[in-house]
Amino acid sequence: MGQAERARRPDGRRFFYARALVGALPVLLVLSGLCYDHFMPRELTAVPFFTAAPLVAAPLLSLAGTVVTGAASLGGILAVRLRYSSVGEADALTEISTVATVAVLAVAINRLVRRGDARLATAREIAEAAQRAVLPRPQERIGGLEIAARYEAAQAGASIGGDLYAVQDSPHGVRLIVGDVRGKGLGAVAAVAVLIGAFREAAEQESTLEAVAQRLERALAREVTRRDAARRDPTVPYEGFVTAVLAEFPHGAGLARIVNRGHPAPLLLHADGALWTLDTPWTALPLGLDELGAWPDRAEEVVFPAGAMLLFYTDGLSEARNADGVFYDPAARIGGRAFPGPRALLTTLAEEVREHTGGGMTDDMALLAVHRL
């Protein structure tokens, strides 16, 4: 069992116990009302306990559980009044009608909450389908390479954002892109869709990796122009600024070519644990900013030996901070370590980042690892 797994287990147990306690609250409230009536003077009423129980049950329990809780609360107040033989008194009738009314309202609230949960589940399914369409998981084996990808959303329950990855086999080798769109929201998702669509076409057609980067630049420029002309929804800005790194692995060549457009440098982890940061001295501007200046794309060629792994990531990994403001350093964390495969590497990184930040990630994180078999 890894250190991260051991660290999470106590939190998991606490969550389980807290959830069990919350689920038992309606029963505890009814029992508290009965005990309150038994030990306190007759002048003090237990109605607050009996009215609170169905209201607490409404968002927490099923419809049947809410109905049972309401019936138990109504039975509890009747038992209290029968004990004092005061069912027919005006105060007793008021208390009984109050509990009955709250029980009926609790059932109505339960139905509304469940309907909202169903809508939320449907929306989540749609978001997951959109993620699979925009960011499909790459094949595990392509052209002698073992590949793994992982997307970690900063917001709980979110499925897609402005980080992206794509892998494409082509006549020129296996090509990939990992990128990060400036901003969030629908504009960022639109940029992701445009960029991945353009990449898949360019990766198949262009003879060089530099030409692929130029095709992506032109695709983003066209989309910005189209958005400016359409102005269909001015409240949803288009995000046309994308940091990206592109890579190419010629079939059977044992090397990799890298073009970096303002993105965190990939990490090359050798089988013996030695680690290189593939910084390039000619990093160009991010995609979508060519109007600010002309920096020609130049691919750096590096040896990619058998057994080595290349890690591509977005700044959600390298800029993840703990409570003291210390950044997570992926090079320092994985250097000198051995991993059985790319999937194990990404799983370890995701676990360590969650542990480093205490589960409080502030940015999405896309990870892609390539292992030369």
Side-chain angles (χ1 to χ4, degrees):
M1 182 185 299
Q3 180 180 357
E5 179 67 19
R6 287 195 300 268
R8 285 204 310 272
R9 288 191 66 184
D11 293 336
R13 287 196 297 268
R14 285 195 294 269
F15 176 77
F16 173 79
Y17 294 142
R19 186 173 181 178
L21 177 61
V22 170
L25 269 179
V27 176
L28 294 176
L29 285 169
V30 173
L31 294 177
S32 298
L34 294 173
C35 293
Y36 184 91
D37 172 71
H38 180 76
F39 293 105
M40 299 301 289
R42 178 180 177 179
E43 292 77 16
L44 300 178
T45 178
V47 167
F49 293 96
F50 295 127
T51 54
L55 290 177
V56 171
L60 299 178
L61 305 182
S62 63
L63 176 62
T66 304
V67 171
V68 169
T69 303
S73 297
L74 189 58
I77 191 64
L78 286 172
V80 169
R81 284 303 178 175
L82 286 173
R83 176 189 176 195
Y84 296 112
S85 301
S86 60
V87 175
E89 295 179 0
D91 290 345
L93 292 175
T94 300
E95 292 178 356
I96 293 171
S97 61
T98 298
V99 174
T101 301
V102 171
V104 173
L105 290 175
V107 172
I109 292 171
N110 178 271
R111 299 310 299 152
L112 291 174
V113 169
R114 294 294 166 257
R115 192 174 301 169
D117 290 344
R119 290 198 186 103
L120 181 60
T122 301
R124 185 174 290 114
E125 291 175 1
I126 294 173
E128 290 173 355
Q131 182 186 34
R132 289 192 295 269
V134 176
L135 292 179
R137 190 177 298 277
Q139 299 178 34
E140 292 186 0
R141 302 252 177 134
I142 305 176
L145 303 174
E146 186 181 6
I147 299 173
R150 185 168 183 139
Y151 192 101
E152 293 284 330
Q155 184 177 358
S159 299
I160 190 169
D163 290 8
L164 62 102
Y165 55 76
V167 181
Q168 180 82 16
D169 198 4
S170 76
H172 315 287
V174 178
R175 288 170 167 174
L176 64 82
I177 181 173
V178 174
D180 186 0
V181 178
R182 178 182 64 89
K184 302 293 180 184
L186 294 178
V189 175
V192 168
V194 169
L195 200 62
I196 289 181
F199 168 78
R200 294 199 179 280
E201 181 179 355
E204 186 71 24
Q205 298 175 355
E206 298 293 345
S207 59
T208 67
L209 198 59
E210 294 91 338
V212 174
Q214 288 302 312
R215 283 276 292 271
L216 300 182
E217 184 72 46
R218 292 193 294 272
L220 283 175
R222 286 195 303 270
E223 184 64 12
V224 170
T225 302
R226 186 191 69 80
R227 285 274 177 145
D228 289 343
R231 294 288 184 182
R232 293 175 182 174
D233 189 356
T235 64
V236 181
Y238 179 75
E239 306 293 354
F241 166 4
V242 183
T243 67
V245 60
L246 295 91
E248 177 183 272
F249 306 91
H251 296 302
L255 57 87
R257 298 188 182 103
I258 308 292
V259 168
N260 196 319
R261 281 297 199 102
H263 198 76
L267 303 177
L268 177 60
L269 181 65
H270 291 264
D272 61 358
L275 185 136
W276 296 351
T277 301
L278 302 184
D279 288 314
T280 58
W282 44 77
T283 299
L285 285 174
L287 296 168
L289 294 181
D290 262 11
E291 61 183 15
L292 300 181
W295 276 265
D297 291 299
R298 294 178 59 185
E300 180 186 16
E301 192 169 280
V302 297
V303 176
F304 189 28
M309 279 192 282
L310 260 171
L311 172 66
F312 302 85
Y313 58 92
T314 58
D315 58 11
L317 176 69
S318 56
E319 295 182 1
R321 289 183 289 187
N322 62 12
D324 298 324
V326 178
F327 290 105
Y328 180 87
D329 186 350
R333 292 297 189 105
I334 67 175
R337 299 167 67 178
F339 300 89
R343 186 177 297 275
L345 171 60
L346 300 192
T347 299
T348 300
L349 286 171
E351 291 177 347
E352 289 187 356
V353 168
R354 291 287 180 185
E355 181 181 0
H356 181 77
T357 62
M361 293 174 57
T362 58
D363 195 6
D364 294 351
M365 178 176 67
L367 307 172
L368 193 147
V370 180
H371 178 212
R372 183 163 181 250
L373 299 173

